[in-house]
Amino acid sequence: MKSHAKAVVIGGGVVGCSVLYHLAKAGWTDILLIERSELTSGSSWHAAGGFHTLNGDPNVAKLQAYTVQLYKEIEEISGQSCSLHLTGGVMMADTPERMDFLRLAHAKGRYLGMDTELITPSEAKAMFPLMDETNFVGAMWDPVEGHLDPSGTTHAYAKAARKLGAEIVLRNRVVELTQEVDGTWNVVTEQGTVKAEHVVNCGGLWAREIGRMVGVELPVLAMEHMYLLTEPMPEVEEFNKSTGREMIGVLDFKGEIYTRQERNGILLGTYEKACKPWSPVNTPWDFGHELLQPDIDRIAPSLEIGFKHFPGIEKAGIKQIINGPFTFALDGNPLVGPVQGLTNFWCACAVMAGFSQGGGVGLALSNWMVHGDPGFDVWGMDVARFGEWATLRYTNAKVRENYSRRFSIRFPNEELPAARPAQTTPLYDTMLANNAVMGDSWGLETPLWFAPKGSEPKDIVSFHRSNDFGPIGEEVRATRERVGVTEIANFAKYEVSGPGAEDFLNRLMTNRMPKTGRIVLTPMLNEFGRLIGDFTIAKAGEERFMIWGSSAAQKYQMRWFEKHLPKDGPRASEVRIHRFDQTLVGLSIAGPKSRDLLQKLVDVDISTKAFRFMDFREMAVGGAPCMVNRITYTGDLGYEIWMAPAYQRLVYKAIKEAGEEFGLIDFGMRALLSMRLEKNFPTWFRELRPIYGPFEGSMDRFIKLEKNDFIGREAAAREQAAGPKLRRVSFIVDAADADVMGDEPIWAKVGGKDYGTVEKPHGYGAPRFDAGGKEVRGSSAAEGASAVRGIVDGDWRVVGWVTSGGYAHYVEKSMAQGYVPAALAENESAGLFEIEILGHRRPARINVEPPFDPSGEKMRT
Ligand SMILES: Cc1cc2nc3c(=O)[nH]c(=O)nc-3n(C[C@H](O)[C@H](O)[C@H](O)COP(=O)(O)OP(=O)(O)OC[C@H]3O[C@@H](n4cnc5c(N)ncnc54)[C@H](O)[C@@H]3O)c2cc1C
């Protein structure tokens, strides 16, 4: 074994081998994979080997499509067969709601280039005759589904990586990881120590233990999983003979089961409700190529539904039941990327569908390690998406919930109950007493809306407008016409201080830093000129800045801040950064009476001139020391008031008492989001994401190219000079009883005209630039997978996609935001656009100016 390597990959399952292959392919050949036992000694060897492209997150779905497409490539390079069976598959809906879900998935697939089709149960039965089609109302066909040989596939990755120069060491456990002051990792193994620049945790079932070697508790848990194999079935053989085809894969939402042909019989797997974690605290190092004891009682309820829906299978004899463990993160998607707080320690773990996702994970991670950027929108699987609140027990509760609902529909207004409440603010009980319906905002209980007194504070989950519609309308109208108060503890909050603070922020942010006592809004870009942050920044003192952003992005953005902190030399101590998390909480008051209300609570003059729009001031509010921003996300006259948690109850009580004479109302997050819609304000992770440039995102006025050399400036200048290909726009939609949710296709009546690309930009094979500033794309395989078909229907064509939307209650309009080709972005003509909602195309019209207070006069008064 070599003593030095550029990178050491720990773990020889399908994911580790894919990471190794992609690193080697990207040109890093001085790399080493270390495997405790033989390749596939974790979950990989006993997988059912199924693969598919569909995923709730369209960006993860794209990476799955890439994975499936990659198998031919690794077979060719390695000479090792993956035994690929591309059979295609169907998802079966047994209720109208599940059919709505399939319509949504099908619509999303339109701009992702997926060839899905909505079909009847009888059509599905023709491809899988063992089902009783009367149990279903419809289905969706996906041609890119099938199964493969898990062991052959893992070895194909490994052989291909070896051919490209990578090394693999077997039967050698990594026992310790330490880091030198210069950042070099000591990878201590049973056979000696390897010095490495980078370490990748692909430990699968032991990923948690490897995390612990560097002091990190990764939110990952193994679950027992069972599938059964039947004896050969004459019906299967007969079908194969008469059609010349294999039976397809079938996913049954109701039973939380999947089934497909395996040899001459059937394989049927379950995600049972009574699911069971495996080794919930520690994974034994001596666990190897063994299976767990099957527990038929546990899966009996799923089997009962399965046999009812697929009576053809019930008759068959069961040959074997496989029970094996594999790992999950809280939401079922992988944990990929650099771990915040560490240097050059990377993760590619919690990959629960290694044969659907392993290739995409390997590609994204290798891009990230080699080029400094994953190259795709990988937020859906970024290891930074969970906070410190995702402890061992929290993870256990959430993973069990996720497993048992693996194929269940998650409605857009559905909050999941497991592991809640976790974090609460001091106002939690008060909010419950006020009849708040609470939601989980990055682990924090946050009021969503307030149910009328006497009614149960509970969402009726639906794809359509629901029981929150009326109360949210009330909250919005009362706020717009009088004054409202809401909790904003769930924002991210940071303080950057020290003599180098301003230079540091000027280097990171696209906008000029404010003068003391003033506020600016500013995006943050990566080197490729892509949006990686959107902040409110106040200059609180000569060397002190307060920053607010999106709560879910806290670790993601801290990772970026830390990466760019001055590291050594005299400047190293000049910048300090502090993330408050829940040690700073907030309340926002908004509406025309908000100034009168606040004036009653403070002893300083806050008249229009004394405390202007976008001013920041520290002042006592209701007797509590607070920081106050004269700005709100409602786009109305209003204030954000920040305080230590110990004061939050005091301030809230004071606001409530003082607000009585003005008709103050409590409003929740959903009303806030409704109000931002009628102001055309974007949201982070919806409208603004790392796949968009700042001009595409219509953030032009916050990009000051002339101010100084900030990160991403050159790329942004190029984008501006060339003109953005796409633009973020707001639409008013002629909706019926359902509003957009996000990811719906936008159609335009363009006739024969070509308004440019319909591809989701850079979601795949993201732009990278060579030394000469020329844009270079990702690997050819990645590019192939990104090819989005132009979807045409007569004169109509899919030209873009929705990012978010909903009902804007004050202006009484259904609204949507999304991206369209720039040439169409200013076109407000009626009859030009349609947006697909739950499978029905609804007329939509671009609205360049926000429908509420277009001049911004109200918030400036
Ligand atoms: C019953 C069952 C059915 C499944 N069906 C499917 C399916 O149909 N489709 C699908 O896509 N997925 C399926 N899966 C899931 C799939 O198996 C996993 O997604 C995949 O195997 C994860 O691969 P991995 O490389 O991340 O982890 P693992 O396969 O667990 O590999 C991790 C490797 O790291 C090594 N390692 C750990 N610690 C160390 C250390 N300290 N030093 C050196 N080496 C170390 C281990 O020995 C192991 O070989 C199934 C799983 C099960 C259990």
Side-chain angles (χ1 to χ4, degrees), residues 63-76:
L63 286 169
Q64 295 189 180
Y66 164 77
T67 303
V68 176
Q69 190 199 320
L70 186 69
Y71 291 129
K72 286 241 167 337
E73 178 181 312
I74 57 167
E75 279 184 335
E76 269 166 32

Side-chain angles (χ1 to χ4, degrees), residues 626-653:
C626 294
M627 292 180 272
V628 182
N629 294 341
R630 220 208 101 175
I631 188 173
T632 88
Y633 198 38
T634 61
D636 219 317
L637 171 68
Y639 306 84
E640 287 173 357
I641 307 166
W642 300 97
M643 72 288 299
Y647 292 112
Q648 198 193 20
R649 287 165 67 102
L650 176 68
V651 178
Y652 178 73
K653 189 161 170 278

Side-chain angles (χ1 to χ4, degrees), residues 166-185:
E167 269 183 52
I168 297 178
V169 177
L170 300 176
R171 296 173 290 283
N172 185 23
R173 179 157 72 87
V174 171
V175 292
E176 195 184 349
L177 291 167
T178 60
Q179 201 171 20
E180 306 280 348
V181 196
D182 70 355
T184 306
W185 285 101

Side-chain angles (χ1 to χ4, degrees), residues 695-713:
F695 297 100
E696 289 175 340
S698 302
M699 303 296 277
D700 310 29
R701 66 201 167 96
F702 306 117
I703 316 298
K704 305 284 191 266
L705 293 172
E706 67 292 349
K707 74 167 179 117
N708 67 308
D709 187 19
F710 59 85
I711 296 172
R713 191 180 74 88

